[in-house]
């Protein structure tokens, strides 16, 4: 909860700081010599973490009377998103599709 | 969590509370929408059909500038909400205008980028990869455009009416929308550009 | 483009339809003008935001679409009734099975269910309206415009003809160059926007607007199923939006999502279509389950058996519904691992469904069952749906599916799921809630005719299809030669379809008869029911509840009746806040329709100009600060009959 009459937006500044750091980190990882799959895992994790920062620090996801519903809603949507992306890749890149 | 009485103005009526919840659920639908676009992109990204691949056309420097523009606009948008919760109309409008300016800057970069690609012979019709790329990026860009139009309407209403429960709710909802677009961009940055350049 | 490229010409049946449509339109316009009803229609219906009226419009549209889709079905049955029939040619048959499928699923099942949800849900949970009444009106108008746009295709431009699944590459521009499939892509897109908005609307309504004391686990079962359906809508419809957008881009702008030559992948379409399409099955079937639960419980005079197991199985079905889509294309060439995993999830979904079947049976056990028409539909549903479910488990096994895939066996299976699961439920729901919508019951005797004709006709139509399917008849086959041994089966099937049509005619006659002659003295609670919607007058007053009730159990009305508690007295009344009517939704809907039409014909400039109408509607809505109005206490007192001390007030039992 953000207190009204609080003048310095500390939470926002910290959130901004975190997102800048993670973006720069992703760029640094990009220029390292790891294999691309390792790099992808690291920057993927950074992206998910940064999305979480946005949701909680900037979007106040768990605030108000519906905070719990919001959280369940977003977690469920992310689950569906994972099913769609991972499922589509899995289905369409294995089997006969892999051999044509 | 906080008790009902200390909640900010945008939650002050039942209708406001429902509108905000409704918008969150809409964002859930948007997550599904963008994830489907990402799925299409992920399936088709190697199918360049003889046309250019991502690594041939993406420019890291421009992408970084776009990313920082949007990240900063997300931050300034959260400052606008902070001002609103301190009941500072002038501060609210100022930060919203800055947010809008950063959004316009992002759009300018993106349109330039697309024009550049088309000049390189990389159009939507060139290959399945580029169809998926332009559709994903274009959908995000269209969302940003819509957001800018929506912000304009909102600022007019704020100037006319000041911070009321209704305008506060509208401002809060648009801030959710704007932050969400930043979240989508983070994934575009990661899984389209960085991955494409690897 | 010349006129004969736009209008479909050369087929006498279509010419007759064109003339009939023209005459009907002229008759409607003349009739409405003659009786001076335009103003009434505009202010009472076209601009309404009342959930009950919107629900009734949905139901009306759904019944009309049922007729249209049913005629398509009859034509298909006529064509296959004998070998080598020449009633329809191959192209015409293709168009008809395509429109039949699309209309029945998206423009018949969906609006009928959403219509009943609209009418009933706010009444069941003790709410004044839905959370976003104006958005609700927009949902209706986008659905309606989408449906109309799809329906005009067969006279203007030509119908889509690639099946309701519209698989690529067939549905692509290369193999289907006409505008038919543009209609498919764009009208479904427009209707889909409305459905998504409905989903969001009902989630918020159910989560935030329940009467005090109604916790989640005290909600009526129909409310539960509607909530879960809305969640699936929000999870699944954006996938359709994207799939259709890919299709539109491929067809209109030459992209290569699904064209192999450009590196596209036609299988991506199947994948996305069924990622939406399978949850869609549960979107239509879950509210139907809720309706059966209400009807069975009411007419067995018992509370629903296994309430919490029912809730758990609904949520389980919703969760699994997003994880089974591959079973629609086992034969596409997936890896063995993919097919195995999806076989297992598909079979798993039979478990929660089975739990529900047993719950209904146990609800009836030792109940004092009343064989009302609504209850008859529910009783017939159980065995018929079980046949559909069991054949579904057969199809779920990937290895065996290579035999059944795309045969008539599959067609019979999904008709055995969707007709008992959705159509029977809608009929049960209509007979059950009709008095609450209109203030009179549908005739029970004509209802029995409707029931027996339809159920017998249904079984005669679709049972033979299992056998011709196992005998090798593939789906979508427009003709066959003599001596294959299918003649008798398909002949019976065609006769069955006529009996089913007679059942539908009985329903229409029933509606007509009851409007004219049925008794208007039905009282608040004609079925001696259990939930909140029966505490108020029939038809429901426009503000719903004079006083929002307090709830402390699953069957609140039943408890009130047992304890003899009155819902409220005159001194409880307060002014009621109501939303104002708005013309914005219908105007935006029409703008969507016009833009869609121009996009179908790829007239982009005109489409761009008219899309300003949509944007204008959004802007107008943003500046609309109308905060509704209050119904004064005097009016409520009068409507509830509380001003007359002689009469008992209507809320009294």
């Amino acid at each position: 909860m953000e207190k009204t009459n609080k003048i310095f937006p500390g939470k926002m500044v910290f959130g901004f700081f975190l997102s800048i750091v993670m973006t720069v980190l992703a760029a640094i990882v990009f220029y390292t010599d790891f294999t691309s799959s390792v790099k992808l895992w690291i920057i993927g994790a950074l992206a998910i973490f940064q999305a979480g920062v946005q949701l909680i620090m900037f979007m106040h996801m768990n605030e108000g009377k519906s905070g719990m519903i919001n959280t369940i809603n977003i977690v469920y949507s992310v689950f569906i998103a994972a099913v769609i992306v991972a499922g589509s890749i899995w289905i369409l890149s294995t089997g006969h599709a892999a051999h044509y | 969590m906080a008790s009902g009485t200390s909640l900010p103005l945008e939650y002050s009526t039942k209708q406001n509370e429902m509108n905000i919840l409704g918008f969150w659920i809409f964002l859930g639908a948007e997550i599904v929408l963008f994830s489907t676009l990402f799925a299409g992109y992920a399936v088709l990204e190697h199918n360049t059909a003889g046309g250019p691949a991502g690594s041939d056309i993406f420019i890291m420097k421009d992408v970084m500038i776009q990313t920082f523009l949007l990240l900063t606009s997300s931050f300034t948008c959260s400052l606008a909400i902070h001002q609103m919760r301190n009941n500072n109309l002038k501060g609210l409008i100022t930060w919203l205008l800055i947010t809008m300016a950063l959004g316009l800057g992002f759009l300018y970069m993106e349109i330039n980028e697309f024009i550049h690609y088309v000049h390189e012979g990389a159009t939507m019709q060139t290959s399945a990869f580029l169809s998926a790329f332009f559709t994903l990026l274009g959908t995000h860009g269209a969302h940003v455009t819509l957001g800018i139009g929506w912000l304009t309407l909102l600022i007019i209403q704020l100037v006319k009416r000041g911070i009321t429960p209704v305008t506060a709710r509208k401002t809060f909802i648009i801030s959710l929308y704007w932050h969400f677009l930043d979240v989508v961009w983070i994934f575009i940055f990661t899984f389209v550009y960085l991955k494409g350049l690897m | 483009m010349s006129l004969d490229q736009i209008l479909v010409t050369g087929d006498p049946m279509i010419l007759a339809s064109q003339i009939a449509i023209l005459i009907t339109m002229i008759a409607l316009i003349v009739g409405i003008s003659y009786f001076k009803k335009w103003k009434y229609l505009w202010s009472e219906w076209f601009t309404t935001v009342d959930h009950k009226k919107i629900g009734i419009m949905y139901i009306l549209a759904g019944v009309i679409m049922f007729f249209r889709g049913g005629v398509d079905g009859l034509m298909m049955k006529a064509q296959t009734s004998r070998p080598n029939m020449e009633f329809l040619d191959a192209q015409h048959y293709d168009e008809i099975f395509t429109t039949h499928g699309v209309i029945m699923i998206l423009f018949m099942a969906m609006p009928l269910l959403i219509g009943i949800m609209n009418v009933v849900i706010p009444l069941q949970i003790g709410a004044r309206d839905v959370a976003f009444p104006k958005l609700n009106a927009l949902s209706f108008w986008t659905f309606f415009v989408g449906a109309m746009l799809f329906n005009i295709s067969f006279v203007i431009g030509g119908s889509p003809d690639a099946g309701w699944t519209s698989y690529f590459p067939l549905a692509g521009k290369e193999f289907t160059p006409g505008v038919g499939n543009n209609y498919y892509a764009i009208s479904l897109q427009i209707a889909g926007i409305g459905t998504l908005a409905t989903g969001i609307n009902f989630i918020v309504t159910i989560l935030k607007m329940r009467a005090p004391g109604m916790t989640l686990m005290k909600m009526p079962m129909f409310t539960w199923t509607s909530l879960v359906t809305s969640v699936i809508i929000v999870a699944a419809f954006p996938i359709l939006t994207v799939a259709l957008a890919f299709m539109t881009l491929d067809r209109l702008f030459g992209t290569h999502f699904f064209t192999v030559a450009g590196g596209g992948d036609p299988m991506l379409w199947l994948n996305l279509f069924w990622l939406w399409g399978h949850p869609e099955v549960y979107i239509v079937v879950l509210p139907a389950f809720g309706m059966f639960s209400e009807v069975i419980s009411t007419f067995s005079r018992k509370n629903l058996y296994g309430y919490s197991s029912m809730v758990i199985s609904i949520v389980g079905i919703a969760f699994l519904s997003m994880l089974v889509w591959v079973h629609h294309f086992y034969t596409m060439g997936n890896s063995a691992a993919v097919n195995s995993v999806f076989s297992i999830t598909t079979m798993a979904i039979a478990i929660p469904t089975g739990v529900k079947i047993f719950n209904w049976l146990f609800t009836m056990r030792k109940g004092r069952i009343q064989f009302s028409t609504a209850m008859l539909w529910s009783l017939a549903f159980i065995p018929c749906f079980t046949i559909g479910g069991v054949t579904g488990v057969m199809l779920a096994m990937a290895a065996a599916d290579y035999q059944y895939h795309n045969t008539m066996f599959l067609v019979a299976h999904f008709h055995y799921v969707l007709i008992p699961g959705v159509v029977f439920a809608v009929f049960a729901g209509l007979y059950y809630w009709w008095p609450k919508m209109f203030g009179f019951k549908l005739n029970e005797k004509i209802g029995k005719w409707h029931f027996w004709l339809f159920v017998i006709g249904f079984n005669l139509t679709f049972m033979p299809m299992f056998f011709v399917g196992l005998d090798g008849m593939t789906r979508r086959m427009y003709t066959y030669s003599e001596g294959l041994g299918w003649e008798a089966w398909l002949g019976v099937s065609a006769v069955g379809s006529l009996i089913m049509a007679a059942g539908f005619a009985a329903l229409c006659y029933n509606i007509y008869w009851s409007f004219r002659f049925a008794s208007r003295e039905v009282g608040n609670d004609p079925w001696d029911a259990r939930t909140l919607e029966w505490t108020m007058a029939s038809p429901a007053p426009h503000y719903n509840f004079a006083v929002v009730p307090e709830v402390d159990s699953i069957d609140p009305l039943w408890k009130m009746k047992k304890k003899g508690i009155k819902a409220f007295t005159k001194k409880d009344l307060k002014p009621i806040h109501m939303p104002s009517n708005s013309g914005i939704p219908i105007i935006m809907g029409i703008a969507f329709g016009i833009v869609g039409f121009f996009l179908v014909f790829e007239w982009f400039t005109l489409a761009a100009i008219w899309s300003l109408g949509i944007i204008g509607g959004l802007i107008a809505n943003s500046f609309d600060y109308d905060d509704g109005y209050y119904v004064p206490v005097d009016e409520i007192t009068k409507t509830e009959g509380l001003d007359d001390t002689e009469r008992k007030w209507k809320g009294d039992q």
Side-chain angles (χ1 to χ4, degrees):
Chain A
M1 243 330 289
E2 206 61 27
K3 282 277 169 292
T4 41
N5 300 324
K6 192 172 149 189
I7 302 304
F8 185 70
K11 195 161 114 179
M12 281 82 177
V13 174
F14 184 59
F16 185 50
F17 172 74
L18 276 180
S19 52
I20 294 286
V21 166
M22 280 183 280
T23 309
V24 172
L25 259 179
I28 291 171
V29 170
F30 170 73
Y31 286 114
T32 56
D33 295 330
F34 295 125
T35 61
S36 14
S37 81
V38 172
K39 284 201 263 186
L40 209 57
W41 278 104
I42 298 174
I43 59 174
L46 283 170
I48 289 164
F49 194 64
Q50 198 178 341
V53 168
Q54 291 272 340
L55 280 166
I56 291 162
M57 297 207 163
F58 286 176
M59 294 168 83
H60 315 275
M61 177 171 74
N62 44 8
E63 168 187 278
K65 286 183 202 157
S66 311
M68 191 63 185
I69 303 173
N70 286 343
T71 312
I72 294 172
N73 170 47
I74 295 298
V75 169
Y76 179 64
S77 306
V78 169
F79 164 74
I80 300 289
V83 168
I84 294 170
V85 175
S88 300
I89 294 172
W90 185 42
I91 291 160
L92 295 173
S93 64
T94 56
H96 288 188
H99 308 292
Y100 80 109
Chain B
M1 287 311 299
S3 66
T5 47
S6 71
L7 279 173
L9 191 61
E10 57 267 28
Y11 294 102
S12 58
T13 67
K14 173 104 181 192
Q15 189 64 46
N16 276 6
E17 214 185 287
M18 293 198 297
N19 281 39
I20 292 170
L21 174 62
F23 199 78
W24 271 105
I25 291 165
F26 172 73
L27 288 185
E30 287 272 64
I31 291 177
V32 178
L33 183 121
F34 276 104
S35 69
T36 313
L37 289 168
F38 273 106
Y41 178 81
V43 168
L44 300 172
E45 69 177 318
H46 303 296
N47 302 2
T48 51
S55 52
D56 300 331
I57 51 172
F58 298 158
I59 303 162
M60 185 68 173
K61 192 186 96 210
D62 290 4
V63 176
M64 287 307 279
I65 295 172
Q66 288 181 37
T67 306
F68 280 111
L69 280 173
L70 215 54
L71 272 182
T72 313
S73 83
S74 187
F75 172 58
T76 57
C77 185
S78 75
L79 291 180
I81 296 300
H82 183 76
Q83 293 295 344
M84 182 175 84
R85 289 183 172 183
N86 284 325
N87 204 20
N88 179 353
L89 179 66
K90 226 177 121 194
L92 165 61
I93 293 177
T94 311
W95 284 116
L96 285 182
L97 284 171
I98 295 172
T99 306
M100 218 164 106
L102 290 166
L104 281 169
F106 168 84
L107 266 186
Y108 173 79
M109 293 288 297
E110 181 159 64
I111 292 168
N112 260 339
E113 182 194 335
F114 283 6
I115 292 171
H116 168 73
Y117 293 158
V118 172
H119 280 300
E120 302 244 308
T123 69
M124 261 185 126
Q125 288 83 8
T126 309
S127 67
F129 154 67
L130 286 165
S131 300
F133 171 81
F134 278 108
T135 308
L136 173 56
L137 273 278
T139 309
H140 179 263
H143 274 74
V144 175
T145 314
L146 193 83
I148 288 169
W150 190 5
L151 265 173
T152 315
L153 297 180
L154 179 80
I155 291 170
I156 295 170
Q157 291 170 35
L158 281 170
V159 170
K160 255 173 46 184
R161 293 166 190 271
I163 301 175
T164 68
V166 177
T167 54
R169 176 244 292 167
K170 290 187 174 191
T171 315
F172 185 72
I173 286 177
I174 202 168
S175 81
L176 292 180
Y177 181 78
W178 199 265
H179 294 308
F180 174 76
L181 294 183
D182 191 35
V183 173
V184 174
W185 182 260
I186 295 164
F187 286 92
I188 291 178
F189 169 68
T190 307
F191 291 106
V192 176
Y193 286 111
L194 290 188
K195 183 166 185 265
L197 282 166
M198 269 176 197
Chain C
M1 201 181 252
S2 65
L3 189 66
D4 64 296
Q5 279 171 288
I6 297 171
L7 277 181
V8 177
T9 51
D11 185 310
M13 279 195 289
I14 289 178
L15 182 67
S17 313
Q18 282 163 335
I19 294 167
I21 291 169
L22 199 67
I23 291 172
T24 316
M25 300 245 301
I26 292 169
L28 272 177
I29 292 168
V30 169
I32 295 168
S33 308
Y34 179 79
F35 292 107
K36 299 195 171 63
K37 289 290 185 193
W38 282 114
K39 195 158 178 282
Y40 163 79
L41 280 177
W42 177 259
S43 57
E44 292 293 317
W45 294 93
F46 293 166
T47 61
T48 190
V49 293
D50 181 341
H51 68 98
K52 300 177 289 296
K53 286 182 175 168
I54 291 173
I56 288 169
M57 290 195 288
Y58 264 119
I59 291 168
L60 186 65
V63 172
I64 294 170
M65 288 297 106
F66 198 169
F67 174 76
R68 159 78 211 263
V71 171
D72 284 346
L74 287 175
M75 288 165 82
M76 277 146 63
K77 285 282 113 188
Q79 168 62 25
T80 54
S81 59
R82 309 284 316 131
N84 302 318
M85 275 286 271
E86 281 171 14
F87 175 58
L88 300 172
D89 59 34
Q91 172 63 23
H92 202 169
Y93 191 82
D94 288 356
E95 292 177 10
I96 283 174
F97 69 63
T98 304
T99 53
H100 172 79
V102 173
I103 286 173
M104 285 304 202
I105 288 281
L106 285 150
F107 300 136
M108 183 281 281
M110 292 292 282
L112 282 171
L113 292 166
I114 290 177
I116 296 176
M117 274 163 67
N118 256 294
V119 173
V120 175
I121 293 297
L123 303 182
Q124 266 196 340
I125 64 174
R128 301 266 185 244
D129 206 312
V130 293
F132 313 117
K134 217 197 288 177
L135 183 68
N136 199 23
L138 180 66
S139 291
F140 170 75
W141 288 111
T142 49
F143 145 73
F144 186 72
V145 161
M148 289 303 115
L149 187 63
F150 188 83
N151 270 276
I152 60 165
S153 65
F154 85 106
V155 289
I156 302 176
S159 288
D161 55 1
W164 89 280
T165 50
S166 279
Y167 282 175
F168 280 81
L170 176 61
K173 197 103 181 169
E174 190 185 352
F175 299 102
T176 312
V179 297
N181 267 46
N182 297 354
Y183 271 113
Y184 175 96
I186 286 157
S187 62
L188 262 58
Q189 190 71 282
I190 294 172
I193 296 168
T195 311
L196 178 62
T198 301
I200 295 173
N201 213 336
F202 276 93
I203 292 177
V204 179
T205 306
I206 295 172
L207 288 179
K208 284 282 156 186
M209 296 180 80
R210 298 192 306 278
M214 187 184 278
T215 57
L216 283 177
M217 292 307 275
K218 289 191 179 108
M219 293 198 305
M221 195 48 65
F222 180 51
T223 305
W224 252 115
T225 53
S226 299
L227 173 64
V228 172
T229 287
S230 306
V231 171
I232 309 179
I233 286 177
V234 173
F237 264 77
I239 307 171
L240 178 69
T241 304
V242 172
L244 291 172
F246 286 173
M247 177 188 249
T248 311
L249 288 169
D250 261 16
R251 291 189 56 87
L252 267 52
F253 299 99
T255 56
H256 297 291
F257 288 100
F258 309 123
T259 42
V260 178
D265 187 350
M267 294 191 282
L268 177 63
W269 167 262
L270 274 76
N271 179 59
L272 294 182
F273 182 85
W274 288 114
L275 254 168
W276 161 78
H278 196 85
E280 167 69 12
V281 174
Y282 289 94
I283 290 169
V284 294
V285 93
L286 278 179
F289 286 172
M291 291 180 202
F292 287 129
S293 301
E294 302 288 337
V295 168
I296 288 175
S297 158
T298 296
F299 292 107
S300 304
R301 299 273 166 284
K302 282 177 69 193
N303 60 342
L304 191 66
Y305 181 89
Y307 179 90
S308 40
S309 65
M310 208 68 149
V311 172
I312 292 165
S313 58
I314 296 166
V315 176
I317 289 174
F319 181 76
L320 285 171
S321 74
M322 300 298 301
L323 302 174
V324 296
W325 74 96
V326 174
H327 69 220
H328 294 273
F329 49 86
Y330 283 139
T331 58
M332 188 176 80
N334 312 306
S335 67
V338 170
N339 276 2
S340 312
V341 165
F342 282 90
S343 264
I344 292 166
T345 53
T346 304
M347 284 187 259
I349 210 165
I351 297 168
T353 316
V355 169
K356 300 172 80 67
I357 297 275
F358 282 105
N359 279 340
W360 289 315
L361 293 176
F362 282 121
T363 305
M364 286 189 271
R365 181 174 173 267
K366 289 194 174 173
R368 278 179 289 128
I369 296 176
Q370 280 182 336
F371 293 94
S372 66
T373 312
M375 186 64 178
L376 285 178
W377 288 111
S378 314
L379 290 172
F381 152 74
I382 293 177
C384 295
F385 185 79
T386 305
I387 294 173
V390 170
T391 49
V393 178
M394 290 168 71
L395 287 155
M397 293 177 275
D401 183 66
Y402 276 76
Q403 286 301 315
Y404 311 127
H405 186 79
N406 268 356
T407 62
M408 279 298 190
F409 185 84
L410 167 81
V411 177
H413 153 72
F414 67 68
H415 282 90
Y416 259 91
V417 172
L418 288 171
I419 293 180
V422 180
V423 179
F424 287 13
V426 166
F427 288 151
L430 284 181
Y431 279 90
Y432 184 62
W433 279 299
W434 196 270
K436 200 47 71 185
M437 288 187 249
F438 297 103
F440 59 88
K441 288 184 189 178
L442 286 174
N443 183 294
E444 286 283 305
K445 202 172 158 196
I446 309 173
K448 302 266 150 62
W449 276 98
H450 171 208
F451 170 77
W452 286 111
L453 285 170
F454 200 90
V455 172
I456 291 170
F458 158 72
N459 279 293
L460 281 179
T461 309
F462 295 105
M463 189 58 82
M465 288 195 190
F466 281 122
F467 298 102
V468 287
L470 290 177
D471 210 12
M473 183 176 182
T474 56
R475 76 194 288 200
R476 294 169 175 169
M477 208 177 188
Y478 93 103
T479 194
Y480 54 96
S481 43
E482 267 177 274
L484 288 166
W486 301 341
E487 293 93 334
W489 292 118
L490 291 169
V492 170
S493 180
V495 173
S497 70
L498 288 174
I499 300 175
M500 205 158 58
F504 181 73
L507 170 69
C508 296
Y509 178 67
N510 198 352
I511 293 173
Y512 164 78
W513 189 94
S514 306
F515 251 110
R516 295 206 53 185
F517 305 116
S519 159
R520 262 55 181 173
E521 298 293 319
V522 290
N524 293 3
D525 182 17
W527 312 114
D528 196 11
R530 318 175 72 84
T531 41
L532 284 180
E533 70 269 33
W534 306 103
T535 59
M536 70 183 64
S538 311
H542 71 101
Y543 50 76
N544 293 359
F545 294 87
V547 173
V548 173
E550 292 229 13
V551 174
D552 59 358
S553 65
I554 292 173
D555 294 320
L557 174 60
W558 191 257
K559 280 273 164 62
M560 278 186 223
K561 285 190 284 198
K562 287 277 177 225
K563 293 183 186 161
I565 305 170
K566 285 181 182 178
F568 59 89
T569 55
K570 189 174 171 181
K571 65 174 167 32
D572 297 332
L573 297 180
K574 290 192 187 77
I576 295 173
H577 180 249
M578 298 293 290
S580 309
N581 284 4
S582 171
I584 295 175
I586 181 171
I587 292 171
M588 278 181 73
I590 292 169
F592 265 112
I594 295 172
V595 172
F597 182 79
F598 288 141
L599 281 180
V600 165
F601 285 92
E602 301 176 28
W603 298 336
F604 297 120
T605 322
L606 283 168
I609 292 168
W610 277 93
S611 62
L612 294 176
I614 301 171
I615 297 168
L618 288 171
I619 293 174
N621 189 52
S622 178
F623 284 101
D624 181 7
Y625 274 72
D626 187 322
D627 197 29
Y629 65 96
Y630 281 89
V631 185
V633 171
D634 280 357
E635 192 193 323
I636 308 168
T637 317
K638 218 172 269 169
T639 317
E640 299 290 322
L642 287 171
D643 56 342
D644 185 359
T645 42
E646 296 295 305
R647 268 179 54 200
K648 281 173 119 186
W649 49 280
K650 280 185 178 172
D652 209 336
Q653 283 303 314

